Every structure is written in C-alpha cells, then in structure tokens.
Amino acid sequence: MTYSAPLREMQFLLDHVVGMSDLTALDRYSEATPDLVAAILGEAGKFTAEVLAPLRRTGDLQGSKLVNGTVETPAGFKEAYAQYVDGGWNALSADPEYGGQGMPFILSCAFMEMITSANMAFGLCPMLGQGAVEALLAHAVPDLQDRYLPNLVSGKWTGTMNLTEPQAGSDVGALRTKADRQADGSYLIQGQKIFITWGDHDVAENVLHLVLARLPDAPQGTKGISLFLVPKFMINDDGSLGARNDLRVVSLEHKLGIHASPTCVMAFGDNGGCVGYLIGEENKGMSCMFTMMNHARLNVGLQGIGCAELAYQQAYAYARDRVQGVPMGTEPADRAPIFEHADVRRMLLTMKASTEAARAIAFLNANAMDLAHNATDKEDRWWNQGLADLLTPLSKGYGTDIGVENASLAVQVHGGMGFIEETGVAQTLRDARITPIYEGTNGIQALDLVGRKLAQDGGEHWQALFRRIEGFLNSLPTDGDLGAIRTDLGDALVALRQATAWIMAERAQNMRAVAAGATPYLRLFSMTVGGYLLAVGAKAAFAELKTPDADREFLQSRVVLARFFAEQLLPPASALMGPITRGDGLLFALSPDQLAV
C-alpha cells in the first residue's frame, strides 16, 4: 500500500466547509489564490508520498541511536530533511520578515497531516521548530528574533520544547531546573529534562531549546517559571556557529513507537556553563510557552488525524485485496474480497467518517487562528480567537483519540495479519498511541475545556457556536438524506446543550463532579461539532451536484459519510449526557484498597 494524500477531501473542506475564502479576501493572503492553494497541496502530496513515506518502515526498524554523545538518525532522514528545507516547506506559513512565505497557517496544517501519514517520526522535528518560531515571534526581544528566527524559519536550525522533568510530569509547577542571572543579561541554566522530542540529531546544524526554568527568587508553582532560549551551539557576532553550549544528551528513550524520532533525556549545565536567554518576562514563562503549546496541540491533533487517514488507507487497500468468505445475502460463485462483508464495511465507514469529522474540526480551528491574527475587524478577531481557543482541546483530544481508534480498527480489518509487523499497520497503531499523551494528555484537554474554555468571555463563544449549529439545522429540509442528518444532529445538539448547562451550573459548587464528566463531555462536544461540519459539507455537496461538471461520485460520498456519522456514530455520543451529568460519586465510591482486590 502506497500513501496518497487526500487532496480532494482537503480542498473540499477549504472551499465549502471552513470558509477559507474569508482568509483569502484579506490583503495579507491575497496571493493565496485557489490555483496556488491547489498547487501547494498537490506538491505537498507528492513530497510526502515520494520522499517521506518510503522512509517510514526503515526508520521504524533502524530507529535513532546515540553514538559517542551524538544522535544519529536512520538512513535517508538527513537527505530527506535537506529536501524539505530546500523546498521551502518549513517556511510555508511563516512571517516574510524572517524569510517565510506568508501563506495561511491552515495550509501548513494540511501539510502537517500529510507528513504524519507519510512519516510521523520525521514530522515531529519541524512541528516543534515551527512552534518555537511562534513563541519567539510573540515574546522574544527584537535582538533574539533577528539572531535566531531566520534560520529557524527556514529549517536550517530546529527547535525543541523542554518542559517535563523526572519528578514533575504534567505538574510543570514542580520543575527544579534553575536559572541564574548573569551580568551580561544572559542566564546560566542547570537541570535535567526528559521526553525531549528531537532534542539532538544530525539533520540540522543547530538545535534551539526552549527551556522552562526557575530563578532563585521565583515564587513557587507555575507563577515562578521563566522561559529561556538555549542553543546547542552559541552564535558568533557574524551569525556563524560558535562553541558548543554546556548541554548534552544523557540517553534516548526506548519507545513503543515513533522509533526514528529521538526522544532525549537532556542535561543542561553539568559543568556550570550552559548559557540561555530570557524569552518574555521573568516568571512569565508559562504564558510564553503556551503560545508554543497551543500551536503544538493543534498540530498533535493533526498527527492523530494523519494516523487515522493512514490507517484507513491501509485497511481499505487490504480489504479490497483480501479474498475470504462469501458475503451474507449473496450467492456468488466464488469467494469475495472482505470489502464486501457488512462488518468490514461498517469499520471502514466508521474510520472514514470519523477521520473527516476530526479533520474538519482541526481545519476550522486553524482557519479561526488565521482570522484571529489577521482579520481587519476587531470583533472578527475577538470571535475567531475565542472559537480557536474553544476548538483547540477538541482538535487535540478528538483528533488523537480517533487516530488510535482507527489504527486499532485497521488492525482488526487486517485480522491476524494486522498483528504482524510486516504489514505496516501495527506500526500505525504503535506510532499513534503517543498522541493522546503528549502536549497535555487528553484528560488535561478535557479539563481545560470545562475548566477554562467554557467560562471564557462569559461563555459567549460556545453559545454563539451552538446558535450557529442550530441555525444551520433549521436551514436543512426535513426529509431525505439531509432530513435524516437534521434529526440525529439535532438530538446531539440538545444533549450537548443540556450537558453544558449542567457543567456551567456545577462549576461554582463541585468542580470534582465537573471533572468527572470532562472526558465524555469532550467527546460529545467534538462529535457534535464534527457531525455539524460534515453536514455543512453534505449540504454544499447537494448544491454542487446540480452543476454540469460535478464530480458526482465524490460529492455523493460527502452526503453518505455525513449521514453515516449522524445515524451510526452520533447516537452513542448523545447518550454520553448521562455519564457527564452523574457527578463524581461512583468514581470515588471505592477506596484504593477495594480497587486493589
């Protein structure tokens, strides 16, 4: 099976569902014409399929290795990364002031999905570098920006995110890495970080670490954390690379998946000479890092979607080729491909519909982020920032859950062959499994949604989104395919509204009860929004079918997938209102000793 980028699906989303035309109407993106967007997506599909996908299996088998203190990546990765940089892919949506091409961020998101489907381990490297660009643009002083951004934007240098420590985990406020002020305005960093993705490698000449650390007089907890840029190699006044900074790779983690991506234990300042530079203000590091983290959370959601898409393509290819059994209800002379069996069809449609729903959420999220930064009207910027904030936990949580679920279904479609490494689908499941964990576990995403995002601006954003969905439902006919979608999507919206009202009422008196229902609430919210966006696509497809040169098979598939999602997948999601609103009593009804029995 050869990966093929879902170009038609992506283009349809951009044109008919998420409203990219609102972006291209802005002066900033006036060059992003439909023809140029289609050309960029087409070339991205070729690059990922022809250059990155062939390295996926060999990278998994070889893995990255620590040799004499330096990380060596698998064969072909260094050359592929050079092609990636030479093609200008890293700079696609970056600021032209620092060498970027200035295209909408949503195009980089589409490309990130393609990269993940083709070679997830490779894609982790540029993903983190692009997040570092966002953090420096938003918070660094001009001198740091001028010194580091051009090579970070181009991809000549790469970036990392250093949060986690052995004793801290997701509790970032417990970190112990130290930073001491120096007379020249720099800081000396000392401490150890774990789980540092692409913390060292041989594909680029320098690595820029964004490191969270604590000053000696800092307050306790997250309020006392600062963010620092710590380069692997120091930079001379003429911009050339200087001496090696006092940092090193202690070891590489042995992981379930993404073997080609080096996950490093990093030591800073073993010899007391690790130099770092403050990003933003002292003790304001978490707000600076959240710029990078929110960027990364959407991209990790896209990684989940990339895994889901790859899993579907693997399962579909196998189901078309594998001949086994006689489908019930037919009397063929010979056995048929398993594609003809009802349960296999159910799994394939589940994978396809859920992948497209998750992709639609992520693309809408990216489009909102673009408009939040660039819309000319202040009210538009406010609304889109709130929408982006609301959708980010959905993109990350639902996108990565679907990646794991679809990869597991792909193994099931393969049957016993799915459990054999040579088919490649087991790697998809192994690689996908990290995505619900890093960049904030999906449980943390759910808590962020109920704890922060619902209350933001007095709840105006979710209320406006619900009204938008309701208005769309009222525009649908009451019969036919769209009528069926209207009924089931309407039921889901009712359940979501009731669950949200319960959460908002309980927030003031019992946050533990709210936390108990947070994860099923995230699922209900995500699936309702995903079903709505698929329905928007189905309505647009009906309109397109009336045109003379319509791609009828593709457009009809938009309608069938939206109806399948609404009829088959949304009803169980609507039933989550019960678990969401029943509080925390059952979760804490048993003591630790009782659970041990």
Side-chain angles (χ1 to χ4, degrees):
M1 171 261 165
T2 302
Y3 167 69
S4 177
L7 299 178
R8 287 189 304 176
E9 290 86 343
M10 290 181 171
Q11 193 70 59
F12 185 82
L13 271 180
L14 297 176
D15 293 342
H16 299 289
V17 179
V18 304
M20 190 180 173
S21 58
D22 292 340
L23 273 180
T24 55
L26 300 174
D27 288 342
R28 178 181 175 88
Y29 297 128
S30 60
E31 295 183 4
T33 62
D35 287 345
L36 180 59
V37 169
I40 289 172
L41 292 178
E43 289 302 313
K46 288 180 183 178
F47 175 78
T48 52
E50 296 173 5
V51 178
L52 299 185
L55 300 175
R56 178 176 178 270
R57 175 66 174 157
T58 56
D60 182 62
L61 291 173
Q62 294 177 20
S64 287
K65 297 177 174 61
L66 184 60
V67 180
N68 297 324
T70 300
V71 174
E72 295 180 358
T73 54
F77 270 59
K78 188 173 184 178
E79 293 77 10
Y81 187 80
Q83 288 183 254
Y84 167 84
V85 174
D86 290 344
W89 292 111
N90 202 70
L92 182 61
S93 61
D95 191 333
E97 182 179 350
Y98 297 100
Q101 298 174 36
M103 288 290 106
F105 174 55
I106 194 171
L107 292 185
S108 289
C109 289
F111 185 43
M112 178 53 63
E113 183 198 316
M114 296 182 205
I115 293 176
T116 302
S117 293
N119 194 326
M120 178 178 167
F122 179 96
L124 280 162
C125 180
M127 184 196 83
L128 289 166
Q130 290 162 11
V133 167
E134 295 300 314
L136 290 175
L137 275 174
H139 304 290
V141 295
D143 180 61
L144 280 183
Q145 293 175 339
D146 295 341
R147 199 169 179 81
Y148 291 100
L149 275 175
N151 285 329
L152 195 56
V153 164
S154 71
K156 186 177 180 181
W157 298 346
T158 66
T160 72
M161 183 189 303
N162 288 251
L163 290 80
T164 309
E165 298 182 7
Q167 80 290 340
S170 297
D171 183 11
V172 181
L175 67 81
R176 297 172 184 163
T177 298
K178 299 185 299 182
D180 289 311
R181 303 178 188 89
Q182 303 300 298
D184 64 357
S186 66
Y187 296 75
L188 290 181
I189 310 298
Q190 190 170 43
Q192 187 176 100
K193 299 286 185 177
I194 62 172
F195 303 154
I196 308 307
T197 301
W198 283 85
D200 190 68
H201 53 79
D202 56 3
V203 305
E205 65 181 20
N206 203 5
V207 182
L208 307 181
H209 298 281
L210 269 62
V211 181
L212 289 178
R214 191 183 301 280
L215 292 162
D217 53 358
Q220 292 299 307
T222 56
K223 294 181 179 180
I225 294 174
S226 301
L227 180 63
F228 301 89
L229 187 153
V230 182
K232 176 181 177 180
F233 289 99
M234 305 304 293
I235 310 303
N236 296 322
D237 290 340
D238 62 0
S240 62
L241 295 184
R244 172 75 179 253
N245 206 352
D246 181 17
L247 56 88
R248 66 184 179 91
V249 181
V250 177
S251 62
L252 296 185
E253 303 292 357
H254 300 281
K255 309 187 296 292
L256 177 68
I258 52 169
H259 294 153
S261 171
T263 302
C264 304
V265 176
M266 299 293 303
F268 298 91
D270 280 356
N271 300 308
C274 182
V275 179
Y277 304 97
L278 183 68
I279 298 174
E281 300 178 29
E282 290 184 352
N283 303 325
K284 302 292 185 182
M286 282 307 298
S287 62
C288 298
M289 184 60 90
F290 262 110
T291 300
M292 186 176 187
M293 289 175 66
N294 284 331
H295 183 280
R297 283 175 174 176
L298 174 55
N299 273 317
V300 171
L302 288 158
Q303 287 183 341
I305 297 162
C307 291
E309 174 66 33
L310 175 63
Y312 173 75
Q313 292 191 23
Q314 290 172 317
Y316 173 83
Y318 186 80
R320 289 298 299 268
D321 291 342
R322 173 62 168 166
V323 175
Q324 182 171 305
V326 177
M328 290 184 178
T330 65
E331 296 181 1
D334 299 309
R335 296 181 304 159
I338 62 172
F339 184 80
E340 299 301 332
H341 293 285
D343 192 55
V344 173
R345 285 290 186 107
R346 177 191 60 80
M347 289 188 283
L348 290 173
L349 279 169
T350 297
M351 296 168 71
K352 180 74 170 170
S354 59
T355 298
E356 298 207 8
R359 179 184 294 126
I361 293 171
F363 276 31
L364 181 64
N365 192 346
N367 196 66
M369 290 172 72
D370 274 325
L371 289 170
H373 289 104
N374 301 294
T376 54
D377 182 76
K378 183 179 179 180
E379 187 76 10
D380 284 346
R381 291 197 302 273
W382 172 83
W383 154 249
N384 279 286
Q385 185 61 60
L387 179 62
D389 291 341
L390 188 64
L391 292 178
T392 295
L394 277 62
S395 297
K396 199 280 182 181
Y398 183 62
T400 58
D401 280 346
I402 289 303
V404 175
E405 291 168 21
N406 282 8
S408 182
L409 280 175
V411 172
Q412 191 72 18
V413 170
H414 281 73
M417 293 304 297
F419 209 65
I420 306 301
E421 286 286 351
E422 282 76 8
T423 62
V425 71
Q427 182 187 344
T428 305
L429 180 56
R430 289 188 288 103
D431 286 352
R433 191 59 191 86
I434 185 59
T435 60
I437 299 172
Y438 58 21
E439 295 311 325
T441 66
N442 285 359
I444 290 175
Q445 304 305 314
L447 291 174
D448 179 48
L449 177 62
V450 300
R452 294 180 62 247
K453 301 302 172 57
L454 289 184
Q456 188 171 310
D457 293 322
E460 289 192 48
H461 300 289
W462 61 262
Q463 293 175 42
L465 179 59
F466 291 0
R467 288 194 298 270
R468 180 188 291 188
I469 297 174
E470 182 177 38
F472 171 77
L473 286 172
N474 291 335
S475 75
L476 296 180
T478 56
D479 57 359
D481 288 316
L482 294 181
I485 293 170
R486 173 177 176 161
T487 298
D488 290 304
L489 183 55
D491 290 343
L493 181 60
V494 168
L496 179 59
R497 272 189 158 141
Q498 291 176 350
T500 307
W502 183 87
I503 286 173
M504 297 304 290
E506 287 293 313
R507 281 172 49 88
Q509 54 192 9
N510 190 356
M511 272 305 294
R512 194 170 82 166
V514 172
T519 291
Y521 178 76
L522 174 63
R523 184 73 170 204
L524 173 59
F525 203 138
S526 300
M527 294 193 69
T528 304
V529 174
Y532 155 65
L533 295 173
L534 289 182
V536 171
K539 184 180 179 182
F542 261 111
E544 288 291 306
L545 281 166
K546 298 176 183 178
T547 61
D549 57 347
D551 184 349
R552 302 191 66 80
E553 288 192 356
F554 175 74
L555 293 171
Q556 288 168 354
S557 74
R558 304 301 90 198
V559 179
V560 172
L561 288 170
R563 182 167 179 175
F564 177 86
F565 191 92
E567 287 189 356
Q568 300 288 324
L569 304 183
L570 268 183
S574 300
L576 290 172
M577 188 182 69
I580 293 167
T581 59
R582 286 181 182 139
D584 57 317
L586 274 177
L587 297 187
F588 294 90
L590 296 179
S591 68
D593 289 342
Q594 287 175 298
L595 280 170
V597 175

